[in-house]
Amino acid sequence: MLLQLPEVVPLSVGGMCFTTRLSTLRRYEDTMLAAMFSGRHHIPTDAEGRYFIDRDGTYFGDILNFLRCGELPSQKRIKMVYKEAQYYSIGPLLDLLDKMQPLTDHLERIIEIGKLRAIQRKARFAKLKVCVFKEEMPITPYECPQFNTLRFERSESESKHFEHQCDVDVSFGPWEAVADVYDLLHCIVSDLSDRGIAVEHQCIGVCDKHLVNHYYCKRPIYEFKITWW
C-alpha cells in the first residue's frame, strides 16, 4: 500500500527547513523528488517530524521555485543550481539552464560596450540599445488564425525576410523558458548590479524593420544607462 503523505510537506534538506505542497514535489514525474514522495518509499524524518533529505540545502530553494512557478536562478547561481538539478534529475530545469549560458556572453558584451563608450566620451555613464524578445519571429494572423500551436510553413523567400538583426548593441532572444521579457530584464539588471554596475532601463520603442507584406519586426527596444561611478 502507498504511504499517505500530507498535502503540505515539511522538509529538512541538510538541516535547512522548507515547506511546500506535495504536488510541487511531484510536478515532474521523472525526477528523484517525485519518486521519493510518490508514497512508494520510506522517507526518514528528523526530530521535528520533517522529511529529511541528506543534501546541502543552500540551493534547494531555487529548485523549489522552479517547481512552483518555473522561476530560474540568477546568473551567479546557475552553476550550483545546475549541480542540484542533476542530483534531483530535473530534466526540464537542466535544459533551460543549458540554454541560459549565452546570457553570460551578452552580459559581458554589455559591460564591454558600456566601458568603451564611457571612455570615448570621458563620461561617468554610457547608453546602449538592447533588444529583448521571447518569440523567434512575429506571428501573423495568417500563420496563427486560432491557436498558437498552429503554424504555417513560410516560403524560402519569406523566411529570409524574418532573418534579420535589429539595429541594437545587444540582443537577447529567443528562449523557451517560462520567464517573460520583464523577468529577463530583471535578471539582466540584477546580475549587473551584483557586479557593482548601476543600470537604469526604459523601453524606447520597437524595431521598425519591414519584414513581409504589412508586417514589421516590432521587437521591443530598451535603452540601458550604465553609471560607472
Side-chain angles (χ1 to χ4, degrees), residues 101-148:
Q101 185 56 42
L103 181 59
T104 302
D105 298 331
H106 292 322
L107 287 173
E108 296 300 333
R109 181 66 177 156
I110 288 176
I111 295 171
E112 178 185 342
I113 294 173
K115 284 183 178 179
L116 180 60
R117 287 187 181 166
I119 291 172
Q120 289 175 338
R121 299 174 183 178
K122 297 180 181 179
R124 59 188 293 266
F125 67 88
K127 293 182 179 180
L128 299 81
K129 288 183 179 180
V130 178
C131 179
V132 182
F133 62 99
K134 187 167 185 178
E135 296 293 337
E136 183 173 5
M137 59 187 69
I139 300 174
T140 71
Y142 298 104
E143 296 172 293
C144 188
Q146 292 181 326
F147 304 104
N148 287 339

Side-chain angles (χ1 to χ4, degrees), residues 170-201:
V170 182
S171 287
F172 291 83
W175 68 89
E176 299 177 3
V178 175
D180 61 19
V181 169
Y182 298 104
D183 292 328
L184 182 56
L185 280 170
H186 176 74
C187 288
I188 295 170
V189 173
S190 295
D191 289 339
L192 290 173
S193 178
D194 289 341
R195 301 187 186 198
I197 301 172
V199 183
E200 299 176 17
H201 67 84

